[in-house]
Amino acid sequence: MNNKKLNHIGMIYIILLFIVYEKMFKIAGFSINIYVHGLFIILIFFYSITGNLKLDSSPSKCNTAFINNLIFGIFFIFYKSLSIFTTFIVFSLFQLLAYRFIIKIKENRKSVIDKCLNVRSFIKFLIDSLGIILGIISAFIFKYGIFWRDFFKEEYVYIYLGVFLIGYFHMRMNEKSWSYTNIIDLFNLITLNIISGLIFLIIILTKLITYPLTILLLSIVLAICFQFFCRYIFKMRKFYGSKNKCHNLEIEKRTLIYGAGEAGAILAKESMTNPMFPYHIVGFLDDDPKKKNTYIYNIKVLGNKENLEEVIKKEKVSEVLLALPSLHSSEMRNIVDRIKSVGNVEIKTVPTIAEILENRELASQLRKVRIEDLLGRDEIVINDGNIRNLIEGKVIFVTGGAGSIGSELSRQIAKYSPKQLINIDINENSIYFLELEMKRKYPNLELISEICNVREKKKLEILFAKYRPNIVFHAAAHKHVPLMEHNPEEAIKNNIFGTKNVAECADKYGVERMVLISTDKAVNPTNLMGATKRACELVIQHMNKVAKRTKYMAVRFGNVLGSSGSVIPIFRKLLEEGKNLTLTHKDITRYFMTIPEAAQLVIEAGSLGNGGEIFILDMGKPVKIYDLAQTMIKLSNSNVGIDIVGLRPGEKLFEELLYDINSAVKTENKKIFITKIENGEVDITQFFESLWEAGQHANIDEIKDVMKKLVVSYKEASYL
């Protein structure tokens, strides 16, 4: 049916072209003979073989304008007449317009008339055409003064304009937005005018017309100037029109932008173009002394960072926008402290480039400064090639795939086109919502969610046999220290024996690599959770010795910002409720890392391992939790206090990542090290039976006795 429809439309198109073609030759004074008809047949033949009669949006093999030039050029060789040129211009314009009209009708738009006869496009076409006409007439006036009419001929306008419009419609210049004219649009317009002028020059040199060569360049320049001016007017109309609308809004927030770079300029520009821009910008601050007293979109740069407090007070600023997306966390912390010292001033920051891409308007993405921004570290650099070689085209298992680390591992893995990604978790709600999120972001990803407890070895074997994974990331574990102190048998069952089950299945079913997610609490553990994670590392080291095909390795790092049950979400909840923040000890410190950073480094570490390594991640400097709590209170503008409640069972004041920092071995990634583990030769197989028995009896003392023999560095924390 579609083919018949296409044929009918094609026939109508050819008939229309023939009518116009014949009429133009008659107007030009040519007799309609076999040569004229033969020329048309040749024209249609070339349209057909180059795909220009398909009448759809698919690209053709050759442009119709080129074919028209070729055929009419041949005709012109035999009939050297200006009429041929006129016929060529009119026919080409009609053919281009008819072609696009038919295509747009076939696109099933809501309003074909609005699309084809767009008022804005028509006005742009008229203005640009007027620019050509005025350019030519003005050139004659400059040259000949009041006697310009004696030298001017209308055919100059018709021919030049005809040549210009063929290129104009071909380049779709009338469809370009003048309100958002950029340098590329201006360059294309200049190119079009120059090419049109060159073609017109060729016509002059062939003696078809007698145009004064001395004013040809002036005609082109004046036409371009007029066209540029009209686009500038449209652009300024958008700026100032929107600005007036914005000022009609009763906005009292006097806002200072810190940073007069690209991000700050975008905000200033948006304040003029976005009628709903919710800030009254009083000025900029920037560290570059050259920018002081300059203007960006009519907004003055008032000074540098030395003037921060002074400007906030003088201009009665109620909000500061930090337009420095690449600002280091330590510098941002210093700026935030200085702003907060002035008074109750709200602070917001521009998002990262990745966040900006999610939304067009920058103002709508301004957000409050997060604690993550102040605790963040230098941007990590990963070896994309290593990760791609590890993941691309492979079947990947992620156990604990719905947890904080496991879910982020899945997000990062999905970027590298695995053959299959299988998420394994016991929490059906979390894994369900993760699956919905992943399918929205990665529609082409073959994602499979499996409900499975890593304690159940039979179910694990079914999954390993079914999918035959190449890589396994093992993130399933119990992690909360106080809960595991109270339920140590669960830590043994899930952490130790769950790891053992996954590791044995990996070897049995020919997995290439298995990566264990460990923790800094495994170093000189003072609690059962940390001791069981150290035991997991021993399981991995043992399996690496006995396995035939699989390489085993572990990755150890500290706390991750915003993970489930971590300190920052807890503090945020208390601040929302207006309650005092609770802290176990004033001197307690912890290492922190962002979840995406941890996930990326885990994957890369997995690509670097040769088997048996314990990788450690550079966690930077430890953070004092008391200082963290104070900063969060400042950012929230809350009046709550901090309560010291005492250390919990098994809790350390200071976390460790290494036994001996001098034994760490560097890798090709400066953020990843290999640690030489003490007591690495402990044979964990001797303890499996006693651990199992202790776990079944749920006897805390018995479990602790076994764990102290297995993990010799495990010493219970003592509290006064």
Side-chain angles (χ1 to χ4, degrees), residues 353-585:
I353 295 298
E355 292 173 312
I356 291 172
L357 292 174
E358 298 291 327
N359 199 319
R360 284 181 63 186
E361 294 182 351
L362 189 58
S364 64
Q365 298 184 77
L366 289 168
R367 54 169 173 75
K368 291 183 178 180
V369 175
R370 303 175 300 200
I371 193 64
E372 289 92 331
D373 299 322
L374 305 183
L375 297 179
R377 295 130 42 78
D378 294 336
E379 183 181 359
I380 65 167
V381 179
I382 61 172
N383 191 320
D384 195 71
N386 284 349
I387 296 178
R388 189 167 297 282
N389 290 335
L390 179 70
I391 300 297
E392 192 172 38
K394 304 285 183 66
V395 179
I396 312 296
F397 268 25
V398 180
T399 68
S404 301
I405 298 297
S407 60
E408 186 61 30
L409 278 171
S410 297
R411 295 184 188 98
Q412 299 292 337
I413 289 167
K415 297 177 182 178
Y416 294 93
S417 306
K419 182 180 179 181
Q420 284 182 312
L421 174 59
I422 292 88
N423 273 342
I424 300 171
D425 205 287
I426 192 61
N427 190 329
E428 64 167 323
N429 289 328
S430 297
I431 202 166
Y432 172 71
F433 288 116
L434 176 65
E435 182 178 300
L436 293 179
E437 175 199 330
M438 295 284 286
K439 287 185 176 180
R440 286 196 305 270
K441 290 184 177 179
Y442 306 99
N444 298 323
L445 173 68
E446 188 175 346
L447 174 69
I448 300 167
S449 301
E450 293 284 359
I451 305 298
C452 175
N453 193 327
V454 292
R455 302 178 185 184
E456 301 174 12
K457 192 172 182 181
K458 288 185 178 179
K459 178 64 181 293
L460 282 173
E461 289 199 349
I462 291 171
L463 297 179
F464 273 82
K466 181 178 180 181
Y467 298 109
R468 296 285 178 172
N470 303 108
I471 312 293
V472 174
F473 292 95
H474 181 50
H478 288 318
K479 68 174 186 177
H480 294 290
V481 171
L483 285 176
M484 293 306 101
E485 286 295 297
H486 188 63
N487 302 275
E489 72 281 1
E490 298 302 315
I492 286 177
K493 293 174 186 176
N494 202 61
N495 294 3
I496 299 177
F497 286 99
T499 299
K500 178 176 178 291
N501 291 338
V502 175
E504 289 175 347
C505 286
D507 181 41
K508 183 176 179 180
Y509 293 95
V511 171
E512 296 172 17
R513 294 170 183 262
M514 175 178 168
V515 183
L516 167 72
I517 309 302
S518 189
T519 172
D520 55 358
K521 294 174 179 63
V523 184
N524 298 323
T526 58
N527 53 69
L528 273 163
M529 195 285 286
T532 60
K533 292 299 287 185
R534 173 64 188 131
C536 293
E537 294 176 352
L538 293 174
V539 170
I540 291 300
Q541 289 183 313
H542 164 71
M543 288 300 303
N544 194 69
K545 293 176 183 177
V546 302
K548 298 177 182 178
R549 290 171 287 184
T550 306
K551 294 178 180 179
Y552 296 86
M553 59 213 73
V555 182
R556 181 190 292 165
F557 51 89
N559 300 278
V560 289
L561 293 168
S563 64
S564 177
S566 64
V567 64
I568 291 176
I570 292 172
F571 281 178
R572 281 192 180 128
K573 185 68 176 175
L574 290 170
L575 288 169
E576 289 172 3
E577 295 174 358
K579 297 179 179 179
N580 287 356
L581 305 189
T582 56
L583 191 64
T584 58
H585 197 284

Side-chain angles (χ1 to χ4, degrees), residues 15-30 32 36 87 90-91:
I15 291 169
L16 285 172
L17 289 182
F18 180 75
I19 293 171
V20 174
Y21 175 86
E22 196 173 60
K23 287 288 183 184
M24 288 307 304
F25 268 98
K26 285 182 179 178
I27 293 170
F30 281 86
I32 306 302
V36 173
T87 302
V90 176
F91 178 81

Side-chain angles (χ1 to χ4, degrees), residues 82 86 152-161 200 208-210:
L82 186 61
T86 307
F152 177 79
K153 295 180 181 178
E154 291 183 1
E155 65 182 25
Y156 298 159
V157 172
Y158 298 147
I159 296 171
Y160 192 100
L161 185 61
F200 193 64
L208 289 174
I209 56 174
T210 55

Side-chain angles (χ1 to χ4, degrees), residues 217-232:
L217 180 61
L218 183 61
S219 303
I220 297 171
V221 172
L222 291 173
I224 293 173
C225 289
F226 180 84
Q227 292 164 349
F228 275 22
F229 177 74
C230 292
R231 282 160 172 78
Y232 178 79

Side-chain angles (χ1 to χ4, degrees), residues 309-372:
E309 293 89 348
E310 178 190 343
V311 171
I312 290 175
K313 292 177 182 178
K314 184 180 178 181
E315 299 293 337
K316 298 178 180 178
V317 172
S318 59
E319 194 158 344
V320 176
L321 306 181
L322 299 178
L324 299 164
S326 59
L327 187 66
H328 193 274
S329 59
S330 60
E331 296 175 5
M332 183 178 287
R333 195 183 305 119
N334 181 46
I335 293 170
V336 169
D337 289 340
R338 290 178 63 188
I339 295 171
K340 287 297 180 181
S341 68
V342 179
N344 190 19
V345 180
E346 193 170 351
I347 309 169
K348 290 183 179 177
T349 183
V350 297
T352 63
I353 295 298
E355 292 173 312
I356 291 172
L357 292 174
E358 298 291 327
N359 199 319
R360 284 181 63 186
E361 294 182 351
L362 189 58
S364 64
Q365 298 184 77
L366 289 168
R367 54 169 173 75
K368 291 183 178 180
V369 175
R370 303 175 300 200
I371 193 64
E372 289 92 331

Side-chain angles (χ1 to χ4, degrees), residues 95-106:
Q95 184 268 323
L96 283 170
L97 293 172
Y99 186 84
R100 291 187 183 174
F101 185 83
I102 292 171
I103 288 177
K104 287 185 176 183
I105 289 179
K106 293 179 66 181

